[in-house]
Amino acid sequence: MSESTLKPLVPLAVTDHRRDILGFKYIYPVVSRRAGGVSVGINLNPNNACNWRCVYCQVPELVRGNAPVLDLAQLADELDAMLEEIVHGDFMQRSVPEEARRLNDLALSGNGEPTSSKQFGEVVDLLGDAMRRFGLLGQIKLVLITNGSQMYKPAVQAALARLAALGGEVWFKFDRAPVAGYSEVNQIALSEAQVVRHLKAATAHCPTWLQTCMFATDGLPPSEEEQRAWLDLVQAACAEGAKLEGVLLYGLARPSTQPEAPRLSRLPEAWMQAFADRIAALGLAVKLSL
């Protein structure tokens, strides 16, 4: 990789999570407001395909589907080039705001559901090898950002156990409790029993946080009924054995590219804090990002 390949055209910012900012196919750096530093993203869905279609999703030209066959050699080369620049080069000084010049994590995220890749387990092992080579084990996090839909699969569960052994953690998407077996926010058929089952599987194999995006629709916040349903389902999952680390509660930071985008807006800080307080009342840790 040439030095020029690794220079973003603009400094990184929390509002800019472009996956192609370096010209790479699988690897992209972002300044993460939730991480409080630089997160190196691993995009297993360069085809912009996901099995969900969240209304707040910022992925352009999102389509329904699963991850394609990955070129693991290219992924490894891109990751090595990125980490070389961060760990041994001057990438932070060139491209990152001073207050965020710390490498916080490697994040399996990207433009779709990462666990939809049949090579997901191989990627976890590849990331572990890279962390060892660069002396990052025990120094940074390895994070899986997931909608949890594939947690019933033995291969995914086995990969989660290896993720945990690397000091990893899961960020499990849970935005709203489903209504009549459907989630409007995530645009997917989903039952409460599925949420609980998948959440239990995740927490059984790896430390797991819920990640929840709250926003206004047509100027209105989630109703009291929606809030209560969310809280009740989390409480029920915990009662059935889901051992959560806590909840990552956040609002809209970047514009959606979905058809619903004009209807969505940020919620006031006071509303977000009030909901965070209700979550804390369940006995769960809450990290709030506005």
Side-chain angles (χ1 to χ4, degrees), residues 141-156:
K141 296 178 181 179
L142 178 55
V143 179
L144 167 64
I145 301 176
T146 176
N147 60 31
S149 62
Q150 309 299 301
M151 293 299 171
Y152 66 93
K153 294 181 177 179
V156 172

Side-chain angles (χ1 to χ4, degrees), residues 148 150-153 157 160 172 195-206 208 241-242:
Q150 309 299 301
M151 293 299 171
Y152 66 93
K153 294 181 177 179
Q157 294 176 11
L160 287 189
F172 186 111
V195 176
V196 172
R197 182 170 68 249
H198 294 164
L199 192 53
K200 287 172 61 179
T203 64
H205 293 90
C206 192
T208 299

Side-chain angles (χ1 to χ4, degrees), residues 227-284:
Q227 295 177 59
R228 187 71 260 166
W230 189 100
L231 294 164
D232 287 348
L233 186 49
V234 171
Q235 198 165 26
C238 292
E240 291 191 30
K243 296 178 174 58
L244 289 170
E245 301 297 307
V247 177
L248 306 173
L249 177 63
Y250 64 105
L252 295 178
R254 300 177 300 281
S256 167
T257 62
Q258 305 309 305
E260 295 85 356
R263 302 177 58 200
L264 313 182
S265 59
R266 291 169 60 86
L267 287 165
E269 180 178 354
W271 191 99
M272 296 290 288
Q273 185 59 61
F275 192 63
D277 292 342
R278 295 182 74 174
I279 297 170
L282 299 178
L284 292 171

Side-chain angles (χ1 to χ4, degrees), residues 1 6 24-28 40-44 70-85 106 108 119 122-131 133-134 136:
M1 301 287 177
L6 293 173
F24 287 168
K25 183 174 183 179
Y26 299 111
I27 303 300
Y28 61 99
V40 173
I42 296 91
N43 182 14
L44 304 190
L70 309 172
D71 184 336
L72 295 182
Q74 180 178 347
L75 193 158
D77 285 347
E78 291 181 2
L79 181 60
D80 281 358
M82 183 78 262
L83 292 180
E84 180 67 31
E85 280 290 305
L106 304 183
L108 283 152
Q119 296 159 283
E122 294 175 82
V123 173
V124 170
D125 296 338
L126 183 156
L127 297 180
D129 290 342
M131 292 173 74
R133 287 198 310 277
F134 284 91
L136 296 174

